[in-house]
Structure formats: structure tokens, C-alpha cells
């Protein structure tokens, strides 16, 4: 099996060889991000977080993972202006397609001004994680109620893809293209043209150099309202998105879960507010009991209902510079 760095080199072609210490730092960061934020030296035996899609990096890169976020939660936007949910296409949606149609309708209600190339997409979320000591011993473990912590993550990506920054637990890291680090970022001018479901589906089938799932991309980028709506419309045309029949509670609020079944027992879900149909989070939950084995051959049991990942999306807005959150 090829290692991560070999695969990245083949995908992007040859790059100048970085110094050994830069290579080591980049590899550690890549493993850290791709494995859902666990300490880099605890490499997970199985990848558990399929919603979190890495932005593929070149050989000297520190890859950055975005997460699904929402610009305006509830019925008030960041400017303090309210909006009405009167006119929802489906007041009582009975299928995933109907929920996504409502989500597309709600997305179009967002105020929007096209960003300049020197502005940034800002994403912020709060992820529920196990206590650190337990997480280090059980990096693949499901969330243990009553023994958790909340991690706040912030990410800034400049529209022209020349600057990127992350902040987790108060540690701000700023990266510049061409200074020993490169990362993959989809062309924003190309994204803003995807304003119909048909265009999104055609684009999704085309070669983009690195794969990004449509549902995951919704959290990695701050898209114009018409584009976000088009992505929901494209997802609604798929036959593999299921409406979770069980009530979901996230951050003290009810939510509608839409997901895809993975490995026969996991539901990878986007979460929507049942009143406003704004996206408010994501989770990975077991929908059936499951037995597996770890790298040592030991039995690993995951009970039905266990949550393996949960994140609340708090912001996805355009800002002027790294550090801006409003």
C-alpha cells in the first residue's frame, strides 16, 4: 500500500523537496487532520469520520479539513435582520428530497455580497469529543455521555487560495502558498457558476484533481446562496440519502438528520433546523449494533445509537482578514 505522501506526489506531480523538518511537520499535520483531530502519534486503525474531507495537499503541505458550518442559525442573520419561513415548499416534509428542497429555499434567503479575491471564507464549529485521556487510549471510540469536552475550531481560507489559517484550542496557524507549503483549494470563480443542480451534478462528474463530496463541500466553503441551494438540489436527486426517522437533539435543539449508510451500520448525517431548514451540524451515528476488530485482533463493539462524531456549525461568513469573526 502506498503511503500518504507518495499518493499526494503522484496526484500533483513533482514539487521542490522540502527540508526534512518541514516534511515531518507536514506529515504529522496531515495525519492529525485526516484522522479527525486526534493526536498525530495515535493513528486510527479505521477512518471514522467520512464527512470530514481533507483538502488534498502537495508533498510539502499541511492539509486542512473544513467542516460543515452555517452562516445564520435560527431566524436572525448576522446583521440582526430576521427572515420569515412562510412559503416553505414542504411545511411537513416526509422525505429527504423534501427536506433538501426546503433547505434550498432557506439558503436563497441569505443576504449576500460577492467576495473580493483578497477576502476570506471563515468557518467555525464546536465539536463534541471524548475527554482527552480517554480519546488518546480509544481514538476510534464513540462519544461517552458525561465524559466529553467541546473543541472550538476556526478556519480562514482566502478566496484566491493564497493564504489559509486555522485556530484550534487557541493555537493560530497561518500558511502562505509558495512558502514551503501548498494545499488544494477549489477555484472559487468556478464554484460560483454552479447555480443550478444540473451544473453541480455535471461538475461533480468532471475531473477536479482531488475528490470532494458534495455534502462535505457545503461545510468547507462559504458559497453564494444560489450555489448552496443548487448543491441541495443536486443532493435531492440522489437515491442514497435517507431521512433519519429518529428525533435528533444537538446542542439542546431538535434537528432533522439526512444521511447515507456506510459500512452497513453507520449513518453519516447532515443536520438541519426543523423550523428554518438551515444546516446546523453533522454527526456520525451507529444505526445497528456492530462488532469489529482492532489492529491487535481484539473485539470492538459499537452499540446502536452510539454517536461517533458530532459537530455544531456556528458560522460560515466572508471576512476581510485572518482573525476576523464578524
Amino acid at each position: 500500500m502506498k503511503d500518504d505522501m507518495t499518493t499526494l506526489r503522484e496526484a500533483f506531480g513533482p514539487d521542490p523537496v522540502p527540508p526534512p523538518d518541514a516534511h515531518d511537520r507536514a506529515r504529522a499535520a496531515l495525519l492529525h487532520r485526516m484522522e479527525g483531530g486526534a493526536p498525530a502519534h495515535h493513528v486510527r486503525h479505521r477512518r471514522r469520520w467520512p464527512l470530514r474531507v481533507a483538502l488534498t495537499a502537495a508533498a510539502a503541505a499541511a492539509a486542512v479539513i473544513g467542516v460543515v458550518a452555517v452562516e445564520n442559525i435560527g431566524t436572525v442573520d448576522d446583521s440582526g435582520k430576521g427572515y420569515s419561513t412562510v412559503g416553505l415548499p414542504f411545511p411537513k416534509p416526509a422525505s429527504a428530497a423534501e427536506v433538501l428542497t426546503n433547505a434550498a429555499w432557506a439558503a436563497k434567503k441569505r443576504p449576500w455580497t460577492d467576495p473580493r479575491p483578497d477576502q476570506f471564507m471563515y468557518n467555525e464549529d464546536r465539536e463534541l469529543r471524548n475527554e482527552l485521556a480517554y480519546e488518546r487510549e480509544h481514538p476510534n471510540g464513540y462519544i461517552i455521555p458525561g465524559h466529553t469536552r467541546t473543541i472550538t475550531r476556526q478556519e480562514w481560507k482566502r478566496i484566491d487560495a493564497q493564504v489559509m489559517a486555522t485556530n484550534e484550542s487557541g493555537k493560530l496557524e497561518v500558511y502562505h502558498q509558495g512558502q514551503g507549503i501548498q494545499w488544494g483549494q477549489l477555484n472559487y470563480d468556478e464554484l460560483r457558476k454552479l447555480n443550478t443542480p444540473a451544473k453541480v451534478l455535471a461538475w461533480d462528474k468532471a475531473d477536479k484533481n482531488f475528490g470532494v463530496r458534495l455534502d462535505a463541500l457545503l461545510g468547507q466553503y462559504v458559497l453564494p446562496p444560489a450555489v448552496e441551494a443548487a448543491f441541495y438540489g443536486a443532493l435531492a436527486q440522489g437515491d442514497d440519502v435517507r431521512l433519519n426517522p429518529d428525533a435528533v437533539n444537538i446542542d439542546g435543539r431538535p434537528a432533522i438528520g439526512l444521511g447515507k449508510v456506510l459500512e452497513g451500520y453507520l449513518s453519516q448525517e447532515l443536520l438541519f433546523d426543523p423550523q428554518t431548514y438551515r444546516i446546523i451540524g453533522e454527526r456520525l451515528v451507529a444505526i445497528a449494533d456492530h462488532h469489529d476488530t482492532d489492529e491487535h485482533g481484539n473485539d470492538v463493539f459499537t452499540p446502536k445509537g452510539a454517536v461517533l462524531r458530532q459537530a455544531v456549525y456556528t458560522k460560515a461568513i466572508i471576512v476581510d482578514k485572518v482573525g476576523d469573526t464578524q
Side-chain angles (χ1 to χ4, degrees):
M1 181 180 291
K2 299 177 183 176
D3 62 30
D4 298 314
M5 304 310 292
T6 299
T7 301
L8 294 173
R9 289 191 184 97
E10 290 179 355
F12 283 83
D15 285 288
V17 178
D21 60 336
H23 181 283
D24 292 341
R25 289 195 306 270
R27 181 178 175 81
L30 176 62
L31 292 173
H32 174 74
R33 292 285 178 181
M34 289 184 70
E35 297 301 336
H41 58 281
H42 290 278
V43 179
R44 299 176 193 266
H45 178 57
R46 290 173 294 143
R47 186 166 183 262
R48 286 289 203 177
W49 321 128
L51 267 182
R52 305 185 66 191
V53 179
L55 300 181
T56 312
V64 173
I65 292 179
V67 292
V68 182
V70 61
E71 178 179 355
N72 308 308
I73 293 178
T75 57
V76 179
D77 63 32
D78 283 349
S79 67
K81 297 179 180 178
Y83 68 94
S84 173
T85 56
V86 174
L88 271 173
F90 297 98
K92 295 181 179 180
S95 67
E98 290 181 358
V99 171
L100 287 165
T101 299
N102 282 355
W105 178 91
K108 291 179 179 179
K109 297 291 185 180
R110 285 195 294 119
W112 181 259
T113 301
D114 281 336
R116 304 185 309 268
D118 64 335
Q119 289 184 300
F120 289 79
M121 293 178 279
Y122 172 65
N123 293 84
E124 177 184 294
D125 82 288
R126 298 192 306 273
E127 182 182 2
L128 188 66
R129 298 259 286 269
N130 283 323
E131 293 173 343
L132 185 58
Y134 184 87
E135 184 179 84
R136 285 174 172 168
E137 294 298 322
H138 307 275
N140 274 334
Y142 53 85
I143 294 172
I144 307 299
H147 298 277
T148 60
R149 59 197 170 108
T150 300
I151 300 296
T152 297
R153 283 192 307 266
Q154 299 170 294
E155 179 179 287
W156 295 262
K157 293 190 297 292
R158 206 162 81 177
I159 298 298
D160 63 6
Q162 295 304 300
V163 181
M164 173 264 296
T166 62
N167 186 4
E168 182 173 321
S169 301
K171 185 177 182 181
L172 179 66
E173 302 278 359
V174 182
Y175 306 97
H176 297 265
Q177 294 275 23
Q179 296 185 3
I181 289 179
Q182 294 177 308
W183 61 89
Q185 184 171 312
L186 295 172
N187 185 287
Y188 199 84
D189 286 335
E190 182 179 347
L191 287 176
R192 76 171 90 215
K193 296 176 183 177
L194 305 179
N195 54 10
T196 69
K199 290 179 180 179
V200 171
L201 292 171
W203 172 84
D204 188 44
K205 294 178 181 178
D207 181 11
K208 299 181 288 294
N209 293 325
F210 51 91
V212 179
R213 293 179 60 98
L214 296 184
D215 51 358
L217 186 146
L218 287 166
Q220 296 180 7
Y221 293 80
V222 182
L223 302 173
V227 176
E228 182 182 344
F231 270 75
Y232 291 135
L235 289 172
Q237 295 185 31
D239 57 4
D240 56 348
V241 180
R242 63 187 290 274
L243 178 63
N244 189 334
D246 299 322
V248 176
N249 191 287
I250 181 169
D251 197 31
R253 293 171 296 167
I256 298 171
L258 296 184
K260 297 183 178 182
V261 177
L262 307 172
E263 302 178 34
Y265 77 103
L266 293 172
S267 179
Q268 166 191 299
E269 297 178 352
L270 297 178
L271 303 175
F272 295 85
D273 185 293
Q275 300 299 320
T276 66
Y277 292 91
R278 296 294 180 93
I279 191 167
I280 60 172
E282 63 168 287
R283 73 173 190 164
L284 186 65
V285 61
I287 55 175
D289 290 347
H290 183 76
H291 287 272
D292 206 341
T293 55
D294 63 17
E295 60 268 31
H296 304 296
N298 300 317
D299 180 70
V300 177
F301 175 64
T302 303
K304 179 180 179 180
V307 176
L308 288 88
R309 169 168 162 73
Q310 178 172 297
V312 177
Y313 312 135
T314 51
K315 272 196 180 177
I317 59 175
I318 301 297
V319 298
D320 288 333
K321 62 182 183 300
V322 170
D324 284 353
T325 61
Q326 301 293 333

